[in-house]
Amino acid sequence: MTLINDWISLTFIGFVLLISSIVLFYRSSYIIGDKFLYRFIILVFLFVISMLLLIISPNLIRILLGWDGLGLVSYCLVIYYQNEKSANAGILTILSNRVGDVAILLRIAWLADFGSWNFYYSQYIYGRNEILFILFIVILAGMTKRAQIPFSAWLPAAIAAPTPVSALVHSSTLVTAGVYLLIRFHEILIINSFLFVTGCLTIFISGLGANFEIDLKKIIALSTLRQLGVIIIVLSLGFYELSFFHLLRHALFKSLLFLCAGVFIHSIGDSQDIRFLGGVDTGCPSRSFYFVACSLSLCGFPFIRGFYSKDAILESYMILNINSFIILIIFGGTLFTVTYSVRLGFYLFFKNLGLKRMISLSERGLIVVPIRVLFVMAVSAGSFISWLYFPCEFIFLTYYFKLLILFIVIISSVLVFELIKILYLFNLNRVSEWVHFVGTMWFIPLISTFFIIPVLIVGKNLLKYLDQGWVEYFGGQGSRGNISFFSLKLDYSYFLNLKSYLFIFFISIFFYLIYFYLDSSMRA
């Protein structure tokens, strides 16, 4: 049994175990009165075990076990709250991820000719055409798990799961599985234009959609989608170490964002609408401080953890031979990060509190402790990991290019804050269908469900007209009555046959005795 124990796998295992332990500790106070608490704990443990199996396995069979385990357990966690919204989100999640599962199965079938399931060996025994086919399969599998276009609809829908699960799913487990698989196959990726284009489209659409979203958890989910696009762009350019660094940085502060958002949602009466929030800094001062620090890290503010990876990523774009249009999209996606972070901060902290009578803000000790641990790691681990794991690299740019990123962050923050105040005063954010078009990620959820709904309708008709129709008389639940009826008839016929057999048997003996008596009399 072969295991991968290099620096990538061991580091990622440490981060997964750290975040999952903090999430479980946070759960002890967040959903303490839940009826199915033990089921929740068991599902989270299965989720973490599936991710660990995926991380340490070079064998594609064991990778498929971890990959399918993530998909099935995530479905169980998304439908944890049993309502119609959770059921729809769970179906969309598992059916989107099944596309990637089929790609992994095709990869396993392709390796059946070579006597080894180890993907490390297979990279060196194929020709060019086989490598291109393998590359297509790996990219397809990674696209479904990391929710790139056109499979982006399931990630915002997966927020129907409990908030601790969202912190785990969106940080270090489910959505990072596809990125981790691509990092493992980085030797055959080299420079991939298809990955680059899909990553650019993903960061643009998700960043733009987050600026028009009103659901707190969905805004953070779209932020996750944008960060995954950034990681894929860096990976497509050949910087797999930098993409892994950004993946680790994203895992810490995104889990912290979800844990802080869970406290706000829990305190407002389980409402996720940011229009009902406001003034939360008065009731949750420490949690608000952590939330602002994570938002600044998300924007790439200097000397916080996000600065060390995001600044290096943007500078690496500038030294490559990329056209101006792509550079404009990338910096536009960076600008969108600042805009939706400032917009979210405005609604949470600067807006007047409209539902003050209904709010019950509190900071219990069991919730504060895991968030403090995660905050220390999220703030300080950026420089520590950059010093410990990655070599000292110097990207030489001009003075104005070096200051360009910081200039964009500061100027866009001020401009967007003033624009949001104007929109909030004049209520101009409900004006047209264009806002709805952008806010729904260009109708990607509608397109994704358009192909699923006819299949579900066929299943509904089969259930209605076959399983619960005339076929029910011969099979299904009606088969028990039919079998009982026919078995009684059969038993009765067997009983009649037995009586007939015994009657004929005794009649035969009687005639035989008469014949024997008459024959003996005639001989005498």
Side-chain angles (χ1 to χ4, degrees):
M1 182 176 179
T2 310
L3 302 177
I4 307 177
N5 290 321
D6 60 348
W7 68 276
I8 294 180
S9 62
L10 294 179
T11 304
F12 203 45
I13 284 174
F15 273 77
V16 170
L17 293 178
L18 171 67
I19 294 175
S20 59
S21 60
I22 288 175
V23 164
L24 285 174
F25 193 74
Y26 175 86
R27 176 270 325 152
S28 62
S29 180
Y30 185 76
I31 52 174
I32 190 171
D34 192 77
K35 185 178 181 181
F36 304 106
L37 189 58
Y38 293 106
R39 185 178 70 183
F40 176 80
I41 297 174
I42 291 172
L43 288 175
V44 171
F45 271 113
L46 290 175
F47 204 61
V48 175
I49 290 172
S50 300
M51 189 63 195
L52 297 182
L53 188 63
L54 175 66
I55 292 172
I56 64 176
S57 300
N59 188 304
L60 278 176
I61 300 293
R62 294 203 305 272
I63 285 179
L64 182 66
L65 292 177
W67 193 274
D68 267 343
L70 287 173
L72 294 175
V73 178
S74 65
Y75 172 73
C76 296
L77 289 172
V78 169
I79 64 169
Y80 183 78
Y81 296 131
Q82 299 176 7
N83 50 49
E84 185 177 356
K85 179 183 177 182
S86 299
N88 295 333
I91 288 293
L92 181 58
T93 300
I94 194 169
L95 290 181
S96 299
N97 286 313
R98 286 307 295 172
V99 179
D101 301 340
V102 171
I104 297 293
L105 287 171
L106 289 175
R107 179 82 167 85
I108 292 173
W110 190 264
L111 278 177
D113 295 335
F114 294 92
S116 175
W117 306 114
N118 194 320
F119 64 81
Y120 274 116
Y121 301 150
S122 63
Q123 297 181 25
Y124 305 105
I125 58 179
Y126 288 120
R128 175 174 176 80
N129 295 329
E130 290 85 357
I131 286 292
L132 290 177
F133 178 70
I134 293 170
L135 183 61
F136 169 73
I137 289 177
V138 171
I139 290 176
L140 179 61
M143 284 179 65
T144 56
K145 272 289 190 290
R146 69 178 190 268
Q148 299 295 293
I149 288 177
F151 304 104
S152 302
W154 71 264
L155 187 60
I159 62 167
T163 304
V165 174
S166 299
L168 195 60
V169 166
H170 290 257
S171 61
S172 61
T173 51
L174 184 62
V175 297
T176 59
V179 180
Y180 183 80
L181 187 69
L182 290 177
I183 290 175
R184 283 299 179 190
F185 281 88
H186 71 274
E187 294 185 1
I188 64 173
L189 288 177
I190 312 173
I191 296 178
N192 193 280
S193 301
F194 178 73
L195 273 180
F196 187 84
V197 172
T198 56
C200 289
L201 290 176
T202 302
I203 65 172
F204 186 80
I205 291 177
S206 58
L208 189 60
N211 285 278
F212 295 93
E213 187 57 55
I214 59 174
D215 193 317
L216 177 58
K217 289 176 65 176
K218 192 171 288 188
I219 292 174
I220 305 176
L222 291 173
S223 172
T224 301
L225 189 57
R226 189 208 163 276
Q227 297 299 321
L228 291 174
V230 172
I231 295 171
I232 292 304
I233 290 176
V234 180
L235 187 61
S236 66
L237 297 177
F239 304 113
Y240 78 97
E241 293 159 334
L242 188 57
S243 66
F244 184 67
F245 179 32
H246 194 71
L247 180 65
L248 297 179
R249 191 267 310 185
H250 168 263
L252 286 176
F253 77 77
K254 191 50 62 70
S255 58
L256 183 55
L257 275 177
F258 267 107
L259 296 185
C260 293
V263 177
F264 299 151
I265 294 170
H266 201 56
S267 301
I268 200 66
D270 299 329
S271 175
Q272 299 177 188
D273 197 332
I274 60 174
R275 296 172 297 182
F276 295 158
L277 292 169
V280 296
D281 53 328
T282 59
C284 298
S286 63
R287 214 61 56 82
S288 302
F289 172 74
Y290 301 149
F291 193 88
V292 171
C294 285
S295 298
L296 292 177
S297 176
L298 184 67
C299 298
F301 196 78
F303 307 113
I304 307 180
R305 181 170 186 188
F307 168 76
Y308 290 94
S309 62
K310 198 165 188 176
D311 200 61
I313 288 172
L314 293 175
E315 289 176 353
S316 65
Y317 295 151
M318 297 179 186
I319 64 175
L320 295 175
N321 189 16
I322 302 176
N323 58 50
S324 301
F325 179 70
I326 296 296
I327 286 290
L328 184 63
I329 290 180
I330 292 172
F331 275 88
T334 306
L335 177 63
F336 289 148
T337 305
V338 180
T339 55
Y340 66 68
S341 298
V342 174
R343 175 177 176 265
L344 186 57
F346 174 80
Y347 274 93
L348 290 179
F349 307 120
F350 294 96
K351 185 173 67 67
N352 292 328
L353 187 60
L355 298 177
K356 192 172 182 179
R357 292 175 297 175
M358 298 175 60
I359 201 167
S360 177
L361 293 172
S362 62
E363 292 187 343
R364 286 171 284 185
L366 290 178
I367 293 183
V368 175
V369 172
I371 293 183
R372 285 176 180 171
V373 175
L374 202 57
F375 173 74
V376 172
M377 291 294 296
V379 172
S380 62
S383 58
F384 176 73
I385 293 178
S386 63
W387 297 336
L388 184 63
Y389 287 107
F390 301 101
C392 296
E393 296 179 354
F394 181 74
I395 300 175
F396 182 78
L397 293 173
T398 61
Y399 179 74
Y400 296 104
F401 272 108
K402 279 286 188 181
L403 292 180
L404 180 62
I405 302 169
L406 182 61
F407 178 77
I408 288 177
V409 170
I410 296 175
I411 297 300
S412 58
S413 301
V414 176
L415 292 178
V416 171
F417 184 74
E418 296 298 327
L419 180 62
I420 288 173
K421 286 198 298 185
I422 295 174
L423 293 176
Y424 180 71
L425 290 175
F426 292 97
N427 201 13
L428 298 178
N429 54 350
R430 306 178 185 176
V431 286
S432 64
E433 291 80 8
W434 183 82
V435 175
H436 177 68
F437 171 73
V438 175
T440 54
M441 297 174 59
W442 299 4
F443 298 140
I444 289 180
L446 181 63
I447 296 173
S448 300
T449 55
F450 179 78
F451 299 101
I452 300 176
I453 289 176
V455 180
L456 297 180
I457 291 176
V458 171
K460 176 185 175 183
N461 292 332
L462 291 176
L463 176 67
K464 181 177 179 182
Y465 297 111
L466 293 181
D467 290 347
Q468 296 176 351
W470 284 103
V471 181
E472 179 70 17
Y473 183 75
F474 302 100
Q477 295 179 357
S479 62
R480 180 178 178 275
N482 296 330
I483 292 173
S484 300
F485 175 77
F486 288 119
S487 63
L488 288 175
K489 294 296 183 183
L490 192 61
D491 290 341
Y492 184 68
S493 65
Y494 283 160
F495 182 67
L496 291 178
N497 291 336
L498 180 62
K499 290 194 295 182
S500 302
Y501 171 76
L502 292 176
F503 176 75
I504 295 173
F505 176 75
F506 287 116
I507 291 296
S508 301
I509 292 177
F510 177 74
F511 280 110
Y512 179 76
L513 292 175
I514 294 176
Y515 171 76
F516 180 77
Y517 176 76
L518 291 176
D519 184 63
S520 60
S521 300
M522 291 177 64
R523 287 181 180 181

